[in-house]
Amino acid sequence: MLPNSLLQRLASWCPWLLRLTDEPKQPVKVLVTGAAGQIGYAIVAMIARGLMLGPDQPVVLHMLGIPKSAETLNGVRMELIDAALPLLRGVVATSDEAEAFRGVNFAVLIGGWPRKEGMQRKDLIAKNVPIYQSQASALQQHAAPNCKVLVVANPANTNALVLKEFAPAVPAKNITCLTRLDHNRALGQISEKLGVHVGDVRNAIVWGNHSSTQFPDASHATARTQHGEMPVVELIADEKWLKEEFVSVVQQRGEAVIKARKQSSSLSAASADCDHMRDWILGTPKGTWVSMGVYSDGSYGVPEGIFYSFPVTCDKGEWSIVQGLEVDDFARSKMELSANELDEERSMAYEFVSSEIDQ
């Protein structure tokens, strides 16, 4: 029998090799909301090909869309069937939240009210609060115990908070939000600056909110070179680039993509969703951390009670905030700016929740 490590690598290229495994895994149910949208369309095939949960994990896909997208959603379902994906053991396409959440082990919440021209962040929060209140109820009532949740729809950090507040039976540690796209963008910018492969760069950090106040931080990042693994700050040796251009480019990358392709990031967002869930469930490589939006426990002086992006490591389906990293005055000021924005968003969300209850 081939070693497991070699079998997994071969299986990533040829999924039919999974038939050689002695004990095939039982299928798990994965929910994707907003599945008729661009990110949803990109991610469902990735999940069904094992890019999220591994090349030996069969899945049943649950796809949730709004009623007016039912025909499009059915078209996505048809394409998944036509792709004849060996890991895909079933597809549920529905606009009913209870049916969509029923028994799911993992949930990727992409659906939400999109930001439109002229909308302020407060307007976006007002539109998304009732959506995530409703999904919180469905999650708590119908999902499998210990369901792991990734919130992608913006404002992701505050949507995650609404979900957590209205699904009190779901442990806060089981709800996260996406900043892996920003993390990947940071790695990409460093790799291009150094002229190295992105796989040779690790341990960048994105602190804070998934917004323009996020703080991409390269001060702890390293890169493999012909001379061994070295700190990125030494290799680049350009403080102005590290504190200004690098930060700004990562913060504004989403807008740059929209300007270039006239649509928001879809492929990179779907890939980042898979990266986030894969590392959370299967574990981060030794010595490597990633950025995840998680419920703050007060680490690094970040206020408790908000979802904030930290550097984390993952093992056996659990994440842990990396402790003891040095934070200088520049980084602290940027981190506090993002925390203050999240505190404001929390107040706005609670305001809209209270007004709905009063009505």
Side-chain angles (χ1 to χ4, degrees):
M1 174 65 82
L2 293 171
N4 286 338
S5 59
L6 178 57
L7 184 60
Q8 284 199 347
R9 289 179 63 186
L10 290 171
S12 67
W13 302 322
C14 305
W16 56 265
L17 286 173
L18 296 175
R19 300 170 192 167
L20 299 177
T21 56
D22 290 331
E23 297 181 6
K25 294 182 177 178
Q26 292 299 307
V28 295
K29 296 181 178 181
V30 183
L31 167 64
V32 176
T33 71
Q38 288 197 68
I39 300 174
Y41 181 72
I43 199 174
V44 289
M46 294 181 183
I47 296 170
R49 293 189 69 86
L51 298 183
M52 177 180 286
L53 299 173
D56 61 344
Q57 179 59 69
V59 297
V60 175
L61 275 172
H62 286 217
M63 303 189 300
L64 176 66
I66 57 177
K68 71 177 184 179
S69 71
E71 186 175 356
T72 303
L73 193 63
N74 186 52
V76 177
R77 184 190 68 83
M78 292 164 63
E79 285 207 69
L80 286 167
I81 293 169
D82 294 348
L85 299 162
L87 291 175
L88 185 60
R89 302 302 171 82
V91 184
V92 175
T94 182
S95 59
D96 180 77
E97 288 183 346
E99 182 181 9
F101 277 88
R102 188 166 293 119
V104 297
N105 307 100
F106 307 100
V108 183
L109 308 186
I110 300 170
W113 190 277
R115 190 167 192 168
K116 299 180 180 178
E117 188 175 355
M119 286 184 72
Q120 300 298 315
R121 204 160 183 84
K122 184 174 183 178
D123 302 324
L124 192 62
I125 292 170
K127 291 291 189 180
N128 279 285
V129 162
I131 294 172
Y132 279 83
Q133 279 184 262
S134 179
Q135 293 192 2
S137 176
L139 172 69
Q140 181 164 272
Q141 293 181 49
H142 302 292
N146 207 35
C147 177
K148 299 284 199 286
V149 182
L150 168 61
V151 178
V152 180
N154 286 319
N157 300 58
T158 298
N159 286 343
L161 180 63
V162 172
L163 196 75
K164 181 257 176 195
E165 292 296 318
F166 284 90
V170 177
K173 65 183 179 64
N174 283 9
I175 299 174
T176 62
C177 65
L178 185 74
T179 55
R180 183 60 176 268
L181 177 55
D182 308 304
H183 180 94
N184 288 351
R185 287 167 171 166
L187 296 178
Q189 291 303 305
I190 293 168
S191 73
E192 291 210 331
K193 180 72 172 177
L194 293 175
V196 302
H197 189 271
V198 71
D200 291 326
V201 182
R202 64 176 180 170
N203 293 351
I205 303 169
V206 172
W207 302 94
N209 197 4
H210 178 59
S211 74
S212 60
T213 69
Q214 65 177 255
F215 173 48
D217 180 6
S219 62
H220 301 282
T222 61
R224 282 193 295 269
T225 71
Q226 59 183 354
H227 304 295
E229 192 164 14
M230 299 179 62
V232 164
V233 292
E234 292 182 16
L235 292 169
I236 293 178
D238 183 345
E239 186 175 3
K240 181 177 176 63
W241 186 87
L242 290 165
K243 290 188 174 181
E244 296 180 16
E245 184 177 339
F246 167 69
V247 173
S248 176
V249 167
V250 176
Q251 287 176 335
Q252 304 299 328
R253 189 66 164 186
E255 292 182 16
V257 170
I258 292 173
K259 184 177 181 181
R261 66 184 297 261
K262 308 300 183 276
Q263 297 181 49
S264 60
S265 302
S266 300
L267 179 63
S268 57
S271 181
D273 296 346
C274 288
D275 291 343
H276 176 114
M277 295 298 284
R278 183 189 62 248
D279 286 341
W280 186 6
I281 305 308
L282 302 181
T284 47
K286 186 176 181 181
T288 300
W289 61 66
V290 295
S291 301
M292 287 174 59
V294 299
Y295 195 60
S296 175
D297 63 357
S299 293
Y300 296 98
V302 173
E304 297 181 18
I306 57 175
F307 277 81
Y308 191 95
S309 183
F310 289 97
V312 304
T313 57
C314 304
D315 183 49
K316 297 178 181 177
E318 302 294 337
W319 55 262
S320 301
I321 296 173
V322 176
Q323 299 293 337
L325 298 176
E326 183 178 343
V327 175
D328 62 19
D329 290 341
F330 174 78
R332 175 65 61 193
S333 66
K334 297 292 188 181
M335 291 167 65
E336 288 178 353
L337 181 67
S338 206
N340 290 340
E341 181 183 59
L342 283 167
D343 189 53
E344 292 174 2
E345 287 189 13
R346 173 174 57 181
S347 298
M348 291 178 196
Y350 286 162
E351 174 188 332
F352 296 126
V353 168
S354 297
S355 63
E356 286 207 355
I357 292 174
D358 290 341
Q359 291 174 5

